[in-house]
């Protein structure tokens, strides 16, 4: 055996491969429940969000309700191109040309979600059908020699890149901070007034959900304490791991969907208000 | 599909061996309070005395009676008939991932071959005051010790269920959980990460969580074992920040070939002696 520090090609596990298994044919699905319903619903949910996201990102307009209140769409934050309203522009304004501001920033939250362990599960199941549902054969795996008869999981390029999820998490923390700032800014009405509109509440909920999703991330769970061998020697990290991050992590799927839906909703609300379609009720 | 009358059960059991077989129908009266294994035993006691089925405890603790009930990997002794749609035929088939020996009994020796390749618990030198462990440090590993080795997770995992050739380089969820337990052990001193990534094939898992869904012990295999292992491997090979931290603080002992000798090896014996002392 020659595997030390992962240099040599590992010896195979000594089992006989390709022995006849017997049993019912693998291509036959014996499950009798509606196993296809969940992957289908998830595929539709994700497709709907992507469709909405494309529409909103290319819209390049009606993302800031400045005339009424400082509501900046989360799809467009942070805003740092020439066309950004002066009230919300970040950094050296005008340095970047007139592309839709959303296109520049969306790459980060998108990369974060695409490499998220939960979303990986959803699209591997719903779009790759690998597997479509538990105990249902991987698409193509029952055709010997077919294009999909072999499976290498996340061991090779490009899927090995999923391992960079942690870097997106670092950036995602910044973004959660920015969206928190936007939520505070959503209390500003007019040039120097403060108030509370219905939209303000949507922004606060949005920031809360983003934090719940970001802090429940598996990379975060590992970094804050999960990677330790001895919790007893790091009581603070243990407390964060146990009391904050692990409970959020247990509901990571829930927050993944809630925050996804809510981002779209907040953006749509800003669109409605800034385009004048509806009037944002001011609570005080 | 054959009709099932009230008060009657229609069971379709897989009969055959590695060379082939078919579902065979058995009709018998429904009885109150039964689990699937009871019904299988009644069939065995009446119509099919030659039916092969493996079981031991009838209490969900020995892990012998794994099968697929209406296509779902389950323990037969822990599946109540009242939870199944008994107005329709109920199919019971052997686990699909392992070769059938006969009827519902499969040859699960692949799992034992993997088990032999898990580098043992390796404590450091015994301190003068003896080993001390805190509850918070051992808790995480205790979740994985609930495992009854029913191999339902190994059976459902598509990496080997649907891709036979991966059995040569993938340990499967049960053994990744075992490895996670060792990696999280407060007294263990071995760095198995490269080994887990390469020989145990950690990257093959695409975290689709079927192992977690079927585990009768409710072990969160994916969230609490596999993903933490993936993050540990990221620490080692994909994160320069973590790499720098290791340079500064030092690191556990990397594995040597002796650490992966099967349990009969001299190194394994020594490690086991250390384990006995530590526990
Ligand atoms: S989560 Fe990973 S180990 Fe578990 S069944 Fe899915 S692919 Fe297999
Ligand atoms: S981890 Fe769960 S499903 Fe897998 S062998 Fe152990 S008890 Fe069975
Ligand atoms: S954001 Fe989902 S696991 Fe990191
Ligand atoms: S007979 Fe022991 S687990 Fe079912």
């Amino acid at each position: 055996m020659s595997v030390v520090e992962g240099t040599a090609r590992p010896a195979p596990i000594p089992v006989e491969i390709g022995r006849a298994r017997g049993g019912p044919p693998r291509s036959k699905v014996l499950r009798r429940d509606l196993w296809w319903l969940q992957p289908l619903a998830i595929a539709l949910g994700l497709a709907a969000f992507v469709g909405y996201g494309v529409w909103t990102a290319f819209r390049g307009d009606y993302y800031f309700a400045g005339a009424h209140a400082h509501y900046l769409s989360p799809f467009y934050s942070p805003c740092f191109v020439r066309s950004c309203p002066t009230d919300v522009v970040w950094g050296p304004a005008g340095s970047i040309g007139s592309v839709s501001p959303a296109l520049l920033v969306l790459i980060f939250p998108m990369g974060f979600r695409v490499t998220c362990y939960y979303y990986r599960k959803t699209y591997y199941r719903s779009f790759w059908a690998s597997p479509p549902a538990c105990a249902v054969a991987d698409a193509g795996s029952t055709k010997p020699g077919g294009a999909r008869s072999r499976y290498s999981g996340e061991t090779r390029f490009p899927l090995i890149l999923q391992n960079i999820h942690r870097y997106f998490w670092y950036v995602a923390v910044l973004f959660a901070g920015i969206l928190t700032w936007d939520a505070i800014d959503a209390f500003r009405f007019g040039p120097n007034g403060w108030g509370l509109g219905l939209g303000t509440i949507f922004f606060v909920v949005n920031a809360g959900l983003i934090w719940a999703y970001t802090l429940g991330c598996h990379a975060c769970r590992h970094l804050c304490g999960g990677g330790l061998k001895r919790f007893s020697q790091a009581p603070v990290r243990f407390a964060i791991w146990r009391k904050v991050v692990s409970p959020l992590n247990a509901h990571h799927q829930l927050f993944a969907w809630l925050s996804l839906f809510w981002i779209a909703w907040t953006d749509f609300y800003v669109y409605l208000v800034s385009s004048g379609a509806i009037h944002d009720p001011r609570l005080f | 599909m054959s009709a099932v009358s009230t008060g009657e059960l229609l069971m379709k059991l897989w009969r055959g061996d590695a060379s082939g077989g078919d579902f065979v129908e058995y009709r018998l009266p429904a009885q109150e309070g039964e689990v699937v294994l009871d019904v299988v035993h009644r069939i065995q006691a009446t119509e099919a005395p030659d039916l092969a089925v493996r079981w031991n405890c009838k209490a969900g603790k020995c892990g012998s009676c794994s099968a697929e009930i209406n296509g779902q990997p389950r323990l037969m002794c822990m599946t109540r008939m009242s939870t199944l749609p008994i107005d329709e035929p109920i199919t019971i088939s052997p686990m699909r991932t392992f070769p059938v020996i006969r009827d519902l009994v499969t040859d699960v020796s692949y799992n034992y071959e993997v088990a032999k390749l898990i580098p043992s618990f390796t404590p450091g030198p015994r301190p003068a005051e003896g080993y001390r462990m805190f509850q918070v440090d051992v808790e995480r590993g205790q979740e994985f010790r609930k495992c009854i080795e029913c191999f339902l997770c190994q059976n459902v995992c598509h990496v080997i269920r649907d891709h036979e050739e991966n059995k040569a380089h993938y340990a499967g969820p049960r053994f990744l959980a075992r490895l996670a337990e060792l990696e999280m052990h407060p007294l263990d001193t071995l760095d198995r990460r490269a080994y887990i990534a390469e020989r145990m094939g950690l990257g093959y898992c695409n975290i689709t969580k079927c192992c977690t869904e079927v585990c009768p012990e409710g072990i969160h295999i994916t969230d609490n074992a596999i993903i933490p292992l993936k993050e540990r491997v990221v620490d080692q090979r994909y994160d320069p920040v973590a790499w720098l931290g290791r340079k500064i603080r030092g690191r556990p002992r990397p594995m040597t070939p002796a650490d992966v000798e099967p349990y009969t090896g001299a190194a394994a014996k020594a490690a086991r002696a250390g384990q006995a002392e530590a526990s």
Side-chain angles (χ1 to χ4, degrees):
Chain A
M1 198 158 311
S2 57
V3 189
V4 186
E5 282 297 289
T7 42
R9 172 127 185 88
I13 295 165
V15 285
E16 198 190 326
I17 301 297
R19 239 171 91 185
R21 287 191 193 170
R26 239 176 12 84
S27 52
K28 192 161 180 223
V29 179
L30 292 172
R31 276 183 70 164
R32 300 243 291 281
D33 54 342
L34 302 177
W35 58 266
W36 44 269
L37 194 63
Q38 196 192 29
L40 180 69
I42 286 176
L44 292 176
L46 291 178
F49 179 81
V50 170
Y52 180 84
V54 168
W55 172 72
T56 208
F58 282 94
R59 192 179 66 218
D61 209 348
Y62 299 122
Y63 56 84
F64 182 58
H68 167 68
H70 279 213
Y71 296 165
L72 173 64
S73 157
F75 276 87
Y76 285 81
S77 183
C79 201
F80 50 74
V81 299
R82 200 175 300 142
S83 59
C84 288
T86 47
D87 280 338
V88 289
V89 73
W90 288 63
S95 51
I96 306 172
S98 54
V99 53
S100 164
L103 296 177
L104 291 176
V105 293
L106 278 187
I107 180 90
F108 296 105
M110 215 181 65
F112 184 47
R113 295 208 181 225
V114 166
T115 57
C116 161
Y117 286 97
Y118 170 68
Y119 284 105
R120 270 143 78 179
K121 171 189 163 193
T122 62
Y123 60 79
Y124 288 145
R125 281 199 188 195
S126 293
F127 294 118
W128 255 264
S130 173
C134 301
V136 177
D138 277 17
S141 70
T142 54
K143 282 190 214 82
R148 292 195 58 188
S149 62
R150 285 185 165 255
Y151 164 92
S152 58
E154 300 183 339
T155 58
R156 298 206 190 129
F157 182 82
L159 291 182
I160 198 167
L161 291 179
Q162 304 281 28
N163 284 305
I164 62 175
H165 180 58
R166 184 179 297 180
Y167 288 91
F168 282 110
W169 181 78
Y170 295 136
V171 181
V173 173
L174 281 180
F175 268 73
I178 292 170
L179 292 185
T180 307
W181 171 256
D182 289 341
I184 296 168
D185 212 35
F187 285 93
R188 275 171 64 197
F189 288 76
N192 39 27
W194 292 81
L196 180 83
L198 185 57
T200 315
I201 295 171
F202 295 156
F203 272 86
V204 171
V205 172
N206 187 47
L209 288 173
I210 288 292
W211 276 114
Y213 172 67
T214 309
L215 293 180
C217 166
H218 283 281
C220 171
R221 187 170 183 233
H222 174 78
L223 291 167
C224 77
L228 295 169
K229 249 185 193 290
R230 299 187 188 192
F231 285 140
S232 54
Q233 289 174 353
V236 177
R237 289 177 71 188
F238 174 59
I240 297 172
W241 180 84
R242 164 90 135 237
K243 303 243 167 68
V244 183
V245 177
S246 290
L248 287 173
N249 178 266
H251 300 288
H252 194 52
Q253 164 173 355
L254 177 73
F255 289 121
W257 283 105
L258 285 180
S259 62
L260 193 75
F261 170 79
W262 205 263
I263 285 174
W265 165 246
T266 309
D267 171 79
F268 190 61
Y269 189 78
V270 172
Y271 169 75
L272 290 178
V273 172
S274 60
S275 65
I278 62 166
H279 179 72
D280 174 54
R282 179 98 178 249
L283 305 175
F284 61 82
Chain B
M1 198 173 280
S2 353
V4 188
S5 45
T6 330
E8 186 193 52
L9 298 172
L10 176 49
M11 308 295 290
K12 294 170 99 179
L13 270 51
W14 183 264
R15 303 295 312 266
D17 53 26
S19 63
D22 212 342
F23 281 108
V24 176
E25 295 191 355
Y26 300 95
R27 282 172 199 271
L28 60 171
Q31 286 181 6
E32 198 69 20
E34 282 187 317
V35 294
V36 169
L37 188 60
D38 292 323
V39 176
V40 171
H41 279 161
R42 272 207 282 144
I43 293 171
Q44 200 185 37
T46 54
E47 279 185 70
D50 61 336
L51 172 72
V53 53
R54 192 187 270 142
W55 67 285
N56 272 288
C57 68
K58 257 197 82 186
K61 281 290 162 259
C62 72
S64 314
C65 66
S66 305
E68 305 198 358
I69 301 167
N70 279 349
Q72 302 260 30
R74 317 271 304 256
L75 292 179
M76 286 189 278
C77 72
M78 297 303 280
T79 307
R80 290 175 182 281
M81 289 302 290
S82 59
T83 61
L84 299 172
I86 52 170
D87 45 347
E88 293 167 20
I90 307 290
T91 61
I92 305 179
S93 46
M95 289 194 281
R96 267 188 182 176
T97 302
F98 312 116
V100 175
I101 297 175
R102 200 154 69 87
D103 303 337
L104 302 179
V105 178
T106 54
D107 174 0
V108 294
S109 55
Y110 153 72
N111 299 291
Y112 303 128
E113 292 304 324
V114 178
K116 287 185 204 163
L117 295 172
I118 307 262
S120 308
F121 169 63
T122 311
R126 190 188 175 92
E129 71 282 10
Y131 292 112
R132 274 193 74 186
M133 287 195 280
F134 293 86
Q135 179 59 25
V136 293
D137 293 336
V138 288
E139 232 154 44
R140 266 193 303 180
Q142 280 171 343
E143 178 184 6
F144 311 129
R145 292 208 82 93
K146 290 192 301 183
C147 172
I148 58 172
E149 300 222 310
C150 63
F151 301 131
L152 284 171
C153 57
Q154 301 283 96
N155 168 50
V156 82
C157 180
H158 71 124
V159 176
I160 46 180
R161 182 184 177 95
D162 297 333
H163 308 276
E164 167 83 9
E165 70 283 1
N166 288 343
K167 281 182 185 166
H169 38 250
Y170 184 57
R174 190 275 168 271
F175 297 102
L176 292 174
R178 170 73 183 134
L179 286 158
E181 182 193 333
L182 290 164
E183 285 296 284
M184 291 171 186
H185 195 295
L187 297 181
D188 183 78
T189 55
L190 212 54
D191 182 355
R192 298 174 183 75
R193 289 174 300 182
Y195 186 73
I196 292 170
E198 303 204 344
R199 186 126 197 240
M200 300 284 99
L202 179 68
Y204 282 89
C205 166
N206 68 352
I207 50 166
T208 35
K209 282 199 175 178
C210 290
C211 49
T212 307
E213 278 184 32
V214 301
C215 178
E217 283 295 315
I219 301 171
H220 292 88
I221 308 170
T222 322
D223 283 352
N224 289 349
I226 297 180
I227 294 176
L229 284 183
K230 285 197 178 229
E231 286 296 320
R232 280 168 170 73
V233 169
V234 171
D235 275 348
Q236 190 195 29
R237 4 180 101 180
Y238 305 108
D239 185 343
V241 181
W243 174 83
L244 201 68
R246 261 195 324 274
K247 284 275 160 221
I248 297 163
R249 284 199 314 265
R251 53 185 301 189
R253 173 170 84 75
M255 277 177 53
T256 67
D259 293 315
V260 291
E261 268 182 50
Y263 281 170
T264 47
K269 276 203 193 110
R272 270 209 304 279
Q275 194 166 17
E277 223 177 303
S279 56

